[in-house]
Each structure stands twice: as structure tokens, then as C-alpha cells.
């Protein structure tokens, strides 16, 4: 790519960014602010609505193309899921199929993601299998890999719980995100069962995303939820008991840019679901580092594990890794890898990451400029990374709040 025209010592035009997203969304605003702060022209914004209605979009060969979440826009959600109510949970399989088809219509440009990798990132079963095949520690699952078992409803879940001795497990939508459709299921020796989830089961059987985490203790209610979710595809994982800070369940979101772990957020909760929009809160990163050291571990090894997970997707510039610390802080597992896991406002880079003082979007721009020879950026470059042209994609994040309910987040791994 040509050197930047903003540098008086260099000739040629400045790099040009384009972003596919929802123009009104804060993700787009924050990314555009970061591009301008780097001294570059404001990015061209291509709305998801236009992409979906036109079956694609065209980009000049030298335009650097970033895809961002299609979430939090009711019209986009309707086009993807046929959902008249964005708070409904159902329809994630339809969302996935339509979104991947639409992104295959993106033509030209220099892509900051890889379509094939994104398709894996937004299928929890395939992502889990990819990580496991690379010897990245993950919670055990009967629904990924060559021996994956089908889950057609609650009866299958119960059978798998018995067969694999899983009294506690997570039931997840294969294509869900932001805890949409996730149930943390616990059973006791006397046959009692309960599920913790943000799903609201309406009297007529409809499912809604809610900002309230609730518990269901009647098996028929749990069965009704799982049976309604099953047609969209389900992924099961053994429940890994997580470490805690100050009596609260704890996990981490680690952002990896160009192969390097650059940003970290600690998430704590009084429930098994640590998502910040469900009442979770940010924890103390220094306390986590101290806990790792006290257990005889090294923080650098924790970050290296996240980089190993990201290395499974070498042609995608940025991912967010959900890291699960086991009780005792000695062992860690990767819960998920998210394609749109970088919405962390006001967070700057980790010491020694090369992204000190930079937000997640600025760190990505710096990495791109390094690869084009136009800036210091993050180094050293990952030799296996290469920008890509378009094929197919998938993702969804955050949620559109409607009274006490929240729109389905089919848009953020």
C-alpha cells in the first residue's frame, strides 16, 4: 500500500479505510474517531442495511475494509432474522445463514478479516473444535469435533448429561452471542435441576432476551426453553468451576491484535454469567495478576495462551478471547473467541503490549499502518497474517434494550 500523504517525508496518498456497520452505532463512531486521530481521512461507512438489500457491496482495490457488528439495529435484525421484535431469542440459524450469504457479496478491498475464519468464529461448535485441535485448552464438549453428538432438544441434553457424567454444563446457541440463549444448568443427585439464564420464557412459549438473570427450577420450563432453541443449533460444554475475586465469579476478555495480546478486562459476577450488560462488573486486573503469581503462575503465560487461541485465526486482525480461570488460578481454558470482541471504551493497552496509551480501535489502526510501512504500530509483525478479499462472514454483539428486555445480540461472537 502507498505511503501516507500526511507525512511530509513520504509521497503517495494516505491509506483509506472503509467500515461495514450500522452508521448510528457507537462502534462506528469510536472507530472513525480513532482513524481521524491517526491523521487519516475519515473512513467510508457502508451500512449493513445497504449490503443486505443489495446482496453485497463493492470496494476499490486499495481500500482497507473492516467489518463491524450488525447488532443493535432493528431493521438489520429484521432483514437477517425476520424478527418483528428484536428482543426475541429465536432465529439465530437464519441470522447466520443470511449474514454469511450477504458477506459473500462483498467484493474487492483489502480485508482485515478472513471470511472462512469468521464463519468458524460464529459457530461455537466449529470454533471449539478448531481450538481443541490446536491443543488450546477448552471446556470439554460432546457437540464439537468429528464425534459431535446431535442435540435435538431437552431429552438429548439430559441423555448426554447422564452418558458423559455432566451434572453441570452450559447450553449455548451455536450462533448466539452476548449470552443470548445461554443456560447454566445444574442437576443434583436427587434429580432436581435448575438453570440460570437471561432468557425470559413467556406464558405462550416465546423466548425473549432480558437484562435480568433468572433461575428456572421446574424441569418443564427448562425443557421448553431448550426445545425452542434446539432448531437453531445447540452447543454443550462441561461447566468449568471458575476462580473468584472477592467472592465473585471471574473471567477475562483479552483482545489480541495482529497476534499480540493488547487489552484485558476482568469480568466478575454473582451469577455464572459474567457479561457486563447482565449485571457483571469490571474487576481489578492487578488483583488477577497477583492471584496468578501467588498460585505459582506467570501473567505472560496467561497472555500467551490467548495469543495461541488467536493464532488459530491468523488471517483475522483482531479477536476477543474469553479466558476462564479455574479455581486456584493455576489452570486456564478458552471459553470462546469473538470476532467483534473489541468494544471496550476508555480501555488502553497493556504494559509491554506495544499498544500502551491506545484504545482497541487505535491499536488495530496502528497494526495496519505497521504492515503498510506507515507507522510504528505493533511489532513484530505476525508473518502468517495477510489481509484478505471477501467471501463470507458472521457475527453479532451488544443488545438493544427495550424496557426490561434486550434485543437479540446476533452480532458479536
Amino acid at each position: 500500500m502507498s505511503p501516507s500523504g500526511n507525512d511530509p517525508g513520504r509521497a503517495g496518498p494516505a491509506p483509506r479505510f472503509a467500515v461495514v456497520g450500522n452508521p448510528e452505532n457507537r462502534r462506528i463512531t469510536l472507530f472513525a474517531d480513532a482513524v481521524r486521530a491517526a491523521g487519516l481521512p475519515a473512513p467510508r461507512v457502508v451500512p449493513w442495511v445497504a449490503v443486505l438489500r443489495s446482496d453485497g457491496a463493492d470496494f476499490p482495490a486499495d481500500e482497507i475494509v473492516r467489518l463491524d457488528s450488525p447488532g443493535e439495529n432493528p431493521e438489520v435484525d429484521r432483514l437477517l432474522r425476520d424478527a418483528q421484535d428484536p428482543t426475541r431469542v429465536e432465529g439465530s440459524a437464519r441470522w447466520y445463514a443470511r449474514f454469511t450469504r450477504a458477506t459473500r457479496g462483498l467484493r474487492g478491498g483489502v480485508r482485515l478479516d478472513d471470511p472462512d475464519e469468521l464463519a468458524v468464529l460464529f459457530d461455537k461448535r466449529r470454533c471449539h473444535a478448531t481450538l481443541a485441535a490446536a491443543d488450546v485448552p477448552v471446556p470439554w464438549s460432546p457437540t464439537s469435533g468429528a464425534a459431535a453428538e446431535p442435540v435435538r432438544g431437552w431429552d438429548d441434553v439430559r441423555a448426554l448429561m447422564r452418558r458423559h457424567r455432566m451434572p453441570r454444563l452450559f447450553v449455548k446457541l451455536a450462533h448466539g452471542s452476548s449470552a443470548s440463549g445461554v443456560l447454566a444448568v445444574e442437576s443434583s443427585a436427587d434429580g432436581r435441576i435448575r438453570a440460570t439464564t437471561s432468557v425470559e420464557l413467556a406464558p405462550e412459549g416465546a423466548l425473549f432476551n432480558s437484562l435480568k438473570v433468572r433461575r428456572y427450577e421446574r424441569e418443564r420450563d427448562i425443557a421448553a426453553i431448550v426445545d425452542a432453541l434446539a432448531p437453531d443449533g445447540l452447543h454443550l460444554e462441561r461447566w468449568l468451576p471458575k476462580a473468584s475475586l472477592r467472592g465473585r465469579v471471574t473471567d477475562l476478555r483479552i483482545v489480541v491484535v495482529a497476534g499480540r495480546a493488547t487489552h484485558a478486562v476482568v469480568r466478575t459476577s454473582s451469577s455464572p454469567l459474567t457479561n457486563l450488560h447482565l449485571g457483571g462488573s469490571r474487576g481489578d486486573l492487578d488483583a488477577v495478576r497477583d492471584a496468578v503469581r501467588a498460585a505459582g503462575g506467570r501473567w505472560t503465560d496467561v497472555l500467551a495462551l490467548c495469543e495461541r487461541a488467536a493464532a488459530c485465526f491468523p488471517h483475522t486482525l483482531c479477536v476477543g478471547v474469553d479466558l476462564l480461570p479455574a479455581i486456584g488460578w493455576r489452570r486456564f481454558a478458552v471459553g470462546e473467541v469473538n470476532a467483534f470482541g473489541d468494544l471496550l471504551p476508555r480501555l488502553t493497552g497493556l504494559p509491554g503490549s506495544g499498544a500502551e496509551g491506545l484504545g482497541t480501535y487505535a491499536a488495530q489502526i496502528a497494526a495496519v499502518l505497521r504492515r503498510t510501512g506507515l507507522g510504528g504500530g505493533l511489532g513484530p509483525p505476525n508473518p502468517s497474517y495477510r489481509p484478505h478479499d471477501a467471501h463470507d462472514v458472521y457475527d453479532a454483539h451488544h443488545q438493544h434494550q427495550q424496557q426490561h428486555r434486550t434485543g437479540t445480540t446476533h452480532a458479536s461472537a
Side-chain angles (χ1 to χ4, degrees):
M1 186 163 290
S2 302
S4 170
N6 293 327
D7 185 339
R10 305 181 185 210
R16 294 183 300 138
F17 282 88
V19 57
V20 181
N22 296 326
E24 76 286 353
N25 194 279
R26 62 175 174 161
R27 288 173 169 271
I28 303 305
T29 301
L30 291 169
F31 178 71
D33 288 346
V35 171
R36 287 190 291 265
L40 301 173
R44 182 168 71 97
V45 179
V46 180
W48 276 119
V49 165
V51 171
L52 292 167
R53 288 176 175 167
S54 303
D55 292 325
D58 292 290
F59 301 90
D62 63 345
E63 195 169 42
I64 301 168
V65 182
R66 167 189 171 84
L67 299 186
D68 215 325
S69 170
E72 301 183 53
N73 183 298
E75 177 60 15
V76 171
D77 191 59
R78 186 188 66 80
L79 291 170
L80 289 170
R81 293 195 298 140
D82 293 337
Q84 301 306 312
D85 184 344
T87 68
R88 290 291 294 269
V89 180
E90 304 92 331
S92 59
R94 184 182 301 116
W95 190 100
Y96 180 80
R98 290 180 178 179
F99 190 65
T100 54
R101 184 175 67 242
T103 56
R104 290 187 183 101
L106 300 176
R107 298 170 292 271
V110 178
R111 292 280 292 275
L112 299 183
D113 51 61
D114 180 273
D116 295 331
E117 290 178 358
L118 287 170
V120 173
L121 286 165
F122 285 98
D123 186 323
K124 296 184 192 301
R125 300 162 300 194
R126 296 176 65 191
C127 184
H128 185 281
T130 297
L131 295 169
D135 291 328
V136 174
V138 289
W140 185 83
S141 170
T143 56
S144 76
E149 302 185 57
V151 183
R152 293 154 297 205
W154 178 245
D155 288 344
D156 285 344
V157 173
R158 278 299 243 169
L160 290 170
M161 291 173 68
R162 289 189 293 268
R163 186 181 313 151
H164 298 291
R165 298 182 181 179
M166 290 193 299
R168 304 171 81 229
L169 77 160
F170 280 86
V171 179
K172 302 179 179 183
L173 281 170
H175 308 300
S177 58
S178 299
S180 177
V182 173
L183 294 90
V185 178
E186 305 170 82
S187 61
S188 63
D190 61 6
R192 288 180 298 174
I193 195 158
R194 72 179 180 184
T196 304
T197 180
S198 63
V199 174
E200 177 187 345
L201 175 63
E204 73 279 9
L207 305 183
F208 296 90
N209 279 303
S210 172
L211 293 174
K212 176 184 177 182
V213 175
R214 62 197 73 213
R215 284 181 174 173
Y216 293 93
E217 299 191 352
R218 297 189 302 183
E219 185 164 357
R220 66 174 179 270
D221 292 335
I222 300 170
I225 294 172
V226 172
D227 287 345
L229 294 176
D232 282 316
L234 295 177
H235 175 58
L236 310 185
E237 290 180 348
R238 192 182 300 277
W239 185 327
L240 174 68
K242 291 190 287 190
S244 64
L245 287 177
R246 300 180 178 91
R248 292 171 63 85
V249 174
T250 302
D251 61 21
L252 299 96
R253 165 67 60 84
I254 309 292
V255 176
V256 181
V257 178
R260 297 188 65 177
T262 58
H263 297 75
V265 166
V266 180
R267 306 184 300 187
T268 73
S269 177
S270 58
S271 86
L273 307 179
T274 59
N275 302 70
L276 300 181
H277 71 283
L278 296 178
S281 59
R282 290 193 181 188
D284 185 346
L285 185 57
D286 287 336
V288 168
R289 293 192 188 101
D290 290 343
V292 171
R293 285 193 291 267
R298 297 188 302 177
W299 175 243
T300 52
D301 292 340
V302 173
L303 297 181
L305 172 57
C306 297
E307 293 172 351
R308 282 176 52 203
C312 294
F313 309 95
H315 309 311
T316 298
L317 177 67
C318 176
V319 295
V321 179
D322 288 347
L323 190 65
L324 314 179
I327 292 174
W329 295 97
R330 290 179 177 274
R331 296 181 299 110
F332 291 80
V334 172
E336 297 183 9
V337 181
N338 305 272
F340 298 156
D342 54 4
L343 181 61
L344 299 172
R346 300 177 299 281
L347 185 71
T348 55
L350 294 165
S353 67
E356 296 90 341
L358 300 179
T360 56
Y361 296 115
Q364 293 171 62
I365 294 163
V368 171
L369 294 181
R370 175 177 173 79
R371 285 192 168 75
T372 59
L374 298 174
L378 302 174
N382 179 349
S384 65
Y385 173 82
R386 57 181 171 82
H388 237 71
D389 292 329
H391 290 176
D392 59 303
V393 176
Y394 179 93
D395 182 36
H397 197 79
H398 260 66
Q399 301 218 345
H400 186 75
Q401 182 177 352
Q402 179 179 340
Q403 297 177 356
H404 66 289
R405 290 174 179 165
T406 175
T408 317
T409 103
H410 302 292
S412 123

